[in-house]
Amino acid sequence: MAGNQPPGTIGQLRTTVPYVDAVKNLEAAVGGQDLEDWESLAERGSRSLRHRDRAVTAEDYEDLAKLASPRVALAKCYGCEDGARDSLDGTVRPGTVSVVVVPRDAEARPRPSLELLRRVRDFLSARSAPEVSLVVLAPATFASASRPRSWRERRPAAAACRSAVAND
C-alpha cells in the first residue's frame, strides 16, 4: 500500500465517530510512507538489537539518524570532527560528532530542511552521552572534484570539460 493517497481514495474510518456516516479525502494525503518490505525490516531489526536505542559508535549514529525520520535517506557520521566549523578536514576535536544528513528527495542535489536537521539532532541528542558535542548538517556540494595546478594542465582539462558538456 502506498503511503500518500490521491484525493478521493480514502473513504473508510478506522474507528466509529458519532454522527459521521461517510468520509472522503478532498486533498491528497501527504507525509505518509510506503509499507516496509521484509528485507529492510529484518535489517532494521538486527541493527536495533545492536545499538539498543543508544548512540555510541559511528554506525549507531548513522542508524539512529535514519530512524529519526522517514525523510532521511542517508546519514554519515564523522567522529572527533566538527563539520560546521572545520569542513571535515581532519581536525581532531575529541567529544565532537558530526552527522551529515541526506534527505529522501527527487532533486539532483537534495538539501535537508532545517526542520529535518533539528529533528535528527534532537533524536540523536536524546540517545547519546550528555558530554558529546553533536553537529548535524547538510552535505556540502562541490563545483569540481579536481583543479588544474599549472597552465599546462588547464588546456587539457578545459578541453575535457567542453567535450563532456558537448556529449550531454
mmCIF file of all heavy atoms in Angstrom, residues 17-39:
data_model
loop_
_atom_site.group_PDB
_atom_site.id
_atom_site.type_symbol
_atom_site.label_atom_id
_atom_site.label_comp_id
_atom_site.label_asym_id
_atom_site.label_seq_id
_atom_site.Cartn_x
_atom_site.Cartn_y
_atom_site.Cartn_z
ATOM 1 N N VAL A 17 -17.205 7.291 14.618
ATOM 2 C CA VAL A 17 -17.341 8.644 15.132
ATOM 3 C C VAL A 17 -18.839 8.951 15.149
ATOM 4 O O VAL A 17 -19.513 8.769 14.121
ATOM 5 C CB VAL A 17 -16.579 9.662 14.244
ATOM 6 C CG1 VAL A 17 -16.782 11.074 14.762
ATOM 7 C CG2 VAL A 17 -15.106 9.316 14.173
ATOM 8 N N PRO A 18 -19.367 9.395 16.272
ATOM 9 C CA PRO A 18 -20.806 9.669 16.331
ATOM 10 C C PRO A 18 -21.231 10.699 15.277
ATOM 11 O O PRO A 18 -20.531 11.682 15.033
ATOM 12 C CB PRO A 18 -21.012 10.225 17.742
ATOM 13 C CG PRO A 18 -19.829 9.774 18.518
ATOM 14 C CD PRO A 18 -18.708 9.639 17.544
ATOM 15 N N TYR A 19 -22.357 10.445 14.639
ATOM 16 C CA TYR A 19 -22.994 11.324 13.653
ATOM 17 C C TYR A 19 -22.208 11.454 12.344
ATOM 18 O O TYR A 19 -22.474 12.344 11.558
ATOM 19 C CB TYR A 19 -23.255 12.720 14.236
ATOM 20 C CG TYR A 19 -24.003 12.671 15.539
ATOM 21 C CD1 TYR A 19 -23.368 12.977 16.736
ATOM 22 C CD2 TYR A 19 -25.339 12.277 15.594
ATOM 23 C CE1 TYR A 19 -24.039 12.913 17.941
ATOM 24 C CE2 TYR A 19 -26.022 12.207 16.798
ATOM 25 C CZ TYR A 19 -25.370 12.538 17.966
ATOM 26 O OH TYR A 19 -26.045 12.459 19.160
ATOM 27 N N VAL A 20 -21.237 10.588 12.105
ATOM 28 C CA VAL A 20 -20.487 10.592 10.840
ATOM 29 C C VAL A 20 -20.796 9.298 10.110
ATOM 30 O O VAL A 20 -20.515 8.210 10.599
ATOM 31 C CB VAL A 20 -18.965 10.740 11.071
ATOM 32 C CG1 VAL A 20 -18.205 10.641 9.767
ATOM 33 C CG2 VAL A 20 -18.640 12.044 11.787
ATOM 34 N N ASP A 21 -21.392 9.440 8.920
ATOM 35 C CA ASP A 21 -21.757 8.268 8.131
ATOM 36 C C ASP A 21 -20.681 7.871 7.126
ATOM 37 O O ASP A 21 -20.485 6.698 6.856
ATOM 38 C CB ASP A 21 -23.065 8.523 7.368
ATOM 39 C CG ASP A 21 -24.241 8.659 8.317
ATOM 40 O OD1 ASP A 21 -24.195 8.042 9.397
ATOM 41 O OD2 ASP A 21 -25.187 9.380 7.976
ATOM 42 N N ALA A 22 -20.021 8.869 6.532
ATOM 43 C CA ALA A 22 -19.027 8.589 5.483
ATOM 44 C C ALA A 22 -17.928 9.638 5.515
ATOM 45 O O ALA A 22 -18.114 10.755 6.008
ATOM 46 C CB ALA A 22 -19.706 8.593 4.114
ATOM 47 N N VAL A 23 -16.782 9.262 4.985
ATOM 48 C CA VAL A 23 -15.648 10.191 4.878
ATOM 49 C C VAL A 23 -15.053 10.093 3.479
ATOM 50 O O VAL A 23 -15.222 9.084 2.783
ATOM 51 C CB VAL A 23 -14.549 9.889 5.926
ATOM 52 C CG1 VAL A 23 -15.038 10.134 7.328
ATOM 53 C CG2 VAL A 23 -14.021 8.491 5.772
ATOM 54 N N LYS A 24 -14.348 11.152 3.100
ATOM 55 C CA LYS A 24 -13.666 11.180 1.808
ATOM 56 C C LYS A 24 -12.584 12.248 1.879
ATOM 57 O O LYS A 24 -12.847 13.356 2.344
ATOM 58 C CB LYS A 24 -14.680 11.507 0.710
ATOM 59 C CG LYS A 24 -14.120 11.492 -0.679
ATOM 60 C CD LYS A 24 -15.277 11.592 -1.648
ATOM 61 C CE LYS A 24 -14.893 12.269 -2.900
ATOM 62 N NZ LYS A 24 -16.019 12.425 -3.812
ATOM 63 N N ASN A 25 -11.361 11.918 1.472
ATOM 64 C CA ASN A 25 -10.309 12.927 1.497
ATOM 65 C C ASN A 25 -10.439 13.828 0.272
ATOM 66 O O ASN A 25 -10.430 13.359 -0.861
ATOM 67 C CB ASN A 25 -8.920 12.292 1.595
ATOM 68 C CG ASN A 25 -8.556 11.429 0.421
ATOM 69 O OD1 ASN A 25 -9.367 10.639 -0.038
ATOM 70 N ND2 ASN A 25 -7.332 11.577 -0.062
ATOM 71 N N LEU A 26 -10.573 15.118 0.510
ATOM 72 C CA LEU A 26 -10.725 16.084 -0.572
ATOM 73 C C LEU A 26 -9.378 16.501 -1.149
ATOM 74 O O LEU A 26 -9.297 16.939 -2.289
ATOM 75 C CB LEU A 26 -11.491 17.310 -0.085
ATOM 76 C CG LEU A 26 -12.912 17.020 0.431
ATOM 77 C CD1 LEU A 26 -13.542 18.280 0.976
ATOM 78 C CD2 LEU A 26 -13.755 16.409 -0.670
ATOM 79 N N GLU A 27 -8.326 16.383 -0.356
ATOM 80 C CA GLU A 27 -6.971 16.725 -0.795
ATOM 81 C C GLU A 27 -6.100 15.476 -0.715
ATOM 82 O O GLU A 27 -6.404 14.545 0.022
ATOM 83 C CB GLU A 27 -6.386 17.831 0.080
ATOM 84 C CG GLU A 27 -7.138 19.135 -0.015
ATOM 85 C CD GLU A 27 -6.499 20.212 0.845
ATOM 86 O OE1 GLU A 27 -5.383 19.987 1.362
ATOM 87 O OE2 GLU A 27 -7.120 21.257 1.007
ATOM 88 N N ALA A 28 -5.004 15.500 -1.447
ATOM 89 C CA ALA A 28 -4.070 14.368 -1.411
ATOM 90 C C ALA A 28 -3.445 14.251 -0.023
ATOM 91 O O ALA A 28 -3.129 15.257 0.607
ATOM 92 C CB ALA A 28 -2.982 14.555 -2.459
ATOM 93 N N ALA A 29 -3.296 13.029 0.447
ATOM 94 C CA ALA A 29 -2.642 12.786 1.728
ATOM 95 C C ALA A 29 -1.134 12.954 1.544
ATOM 96 O O ALA A 29 -0.571 12.508 0.549
ATOM 97 C CB ALA A 29 -2.967 11.385 2.229
ATOM 98 N N VAL A 30 -0.481 13.629 2.483
ATOM 99 C CA VAL A 30 0.960 13.861 2.405
ATOM 100 C C VAL A 30 1.621 13.406 3.697
ATOM 101 O O VAL A 30 0.978 13.272 4.721
ATOM 102 C CB VAL A 30 1.289 15.355 2.146
ATOM 103 C CG1 VAL A 30 0.769 15.796 0.799
ATOM 104 C CG2 VAL A 30 0.721 16.238 3.234
ATOM 105 N N GLY A 31 2.924 13.181 3.628
ATOM 106 C CA GLY A 31 3.687 12.799 4.813
ATOM 107 C C GLY A 31 3.639 11.328 5.139
ATOM 108 O O GLY A 31 4.175 10.896 6.146
ATOM 109 N N GLY A 32 3.019 10.527 4.288
ATOM 110 C CA GLY A 32 2.927 9.098 4.538
ATOM 111 C C GLY A 32 4.157 8.355 4.051
ATOM 112 O O GLY A 32 5.045 8.923 3.430
ATOM 113 N N GLN A 33 4.203 7.083 4.331
ATOM 114 C CA GLN A 33 5.333 6.257 3.928
ATOM 115 C C GLN A 33 4.801 4.921 3.454
ATOM 116 O O GLN A 33 3.845 4.384 4.009
ATOM 117 C CB GLN A 33 6.273 6.067 5.115
ATOM 118 C CG GLN A 33 7.530 5.327 4.767
ATOM 119 C CD GLN A 33 8.468 5.230 5.958
ATOM 120 O OE1 GLN A 33 8.175 5.705 7.037
ATOM 121 N NE2 GLN A 33 9.592 4.600 5.756
ATOM 122 N N ASP A 34 5.423 4.367 2.415
ATOM 123 C CA ASP A 34 5.030 3.061 1.903
ATOM 124 C C ASP A 34 5.317 1.986 2.947
ATOM 125 O O ASP A 34 6.127 2.169 3.853
ATOM 126 C CB ASP A 34 5.797 2.736 0.618
ATOM 127 C CG ASP A 34 5.420 3.659 -0.527
ATOM 128 O OD1 ASP A 34 4.386 4.332 -0.414
ATOM 129 O OD2 ASP A 34 6.161 3.704 -1.516
ATOM 130 N N LEU A 35 4.641 0.846 2.813
ATOM 131 C CA LEU A 35 4.891 -0.277 3.714
ATOM 132 C C LEU A 35 6.336 -0.742 3.586
ATOM 133 O O LEU A 35 6.911 -0.731 2.497
ATOM 134 C CB LEU A 35 3.959 -1.439 3.386
ATOM 135 C CG LEU A 35 2.484 -1.268 3.760
ATOM 136 C CD1 LEU A 35 1.684 -2.469 3.270
ATOM 137 C CD2 LEU A 35 2.329 -1.122 5.257
ATOM 138 N N GLU A 36 6.911 -1.158 4.691
ATOM 139 C CA GLU A 36 8.293 -1.623 4.708
ATOM 140 C C GLU A 36 8.357 -3.060 4.199
ATOM 141 O O GLU A 36 7.536 -3.898 4.584
ATOM 142 C CB GLU A 36 8.828 -1.527 6.135
ATOM 143 C CG GLU A 36 10.289 -1.785 6.266
ATOM 144 C CD GLU A 36 10.802 -1.493 7.667
ATOM 145 O OE1 GLU A 36 9.997 -1.463 8.610
ATOM 146 O OE2 GLU A 36 12.009 -1.300 7.800
ATOM 147 N N ASP A 37 9.343 -3.355 3.345
ATOM 148 C CA ASP A 37 9.491 -4.725 2.856
ATOM 149 C C ASP A 37 10.207 -5.578 3.908
ATOM 150 O O ASP A 37 10.805 -5.067 4.848
ATOM 151 C CB ASP A 37 10.211 -4.764 1.510
ATOM 152 C CG ASP A 37 11.616 -4.215 1.572
ATOM 153 O OD1 ASP A 37 11.977 -3.602 2.594
ATOM 154 O OD2 ASP A 37 12.370 -4.392 0.613
ATOM 155 N N TRP A 38 10.145 -6.894 3.733
ATOM 156 C CA TRP A 38 10.678 -7.812 4.729
ATOM 157 C C TRP A 38 12.187 -7.696 4.899
ATOM 158 O O TRP A 38 12.703 -7.833 6.010
ATOM 159 C CB TRP A 38 10.293 -9.251 4.371
ATOM 160 C CG TRP A 38 8.849 -9.527 4.624
ATOM 161 C CD1 TRP A 38 7.866 -9.681 3.690
ATOM 162 C CD2 TRP A 38 8.210 -9.648 5.892
ATOM 163 N NE1 TRP A 38 6.657 -9.886 4.296
ATOM 164 C CE2 TRP A 38 6.836 -9.882 5.662
ATOM 165 C CE3 TRP A 38 8.656 -9.581 7.206
ATOM 166 C CZ2 TRP A 38 5.921 -10.041 6.689
ATOM 167 C CZ3 TRP A 38 7.737 -9.753 8.232
ATOM 168 C CH2 TRP A 38 6.395 -9.978 7.972
ATOM 169 N N GLU A 39 12.915 -7.450 3.802
ATOM 170 C CA GLU A 39 14.376 -7.360 3.899
ATOM 171 C C GLU A 39 14.800 -6.176 4.763
ATOM 172 O O GLU A 39 15.663 -6.297 5.636
ATOM 173 C CB GLU A 39 15.008 -7.255 2.507
ATOM 174 C CG GLU A 39 14.873 -8.498 1.656
ATOM 175 C CD GLU A 39 13.522 -8.593 0.963
ATOM 176 O OE1 GLU A 39 12.872 -7.554 0.745
ATOM 177 O OE2 GLU A 39 13.100 -9.713 0.647
#
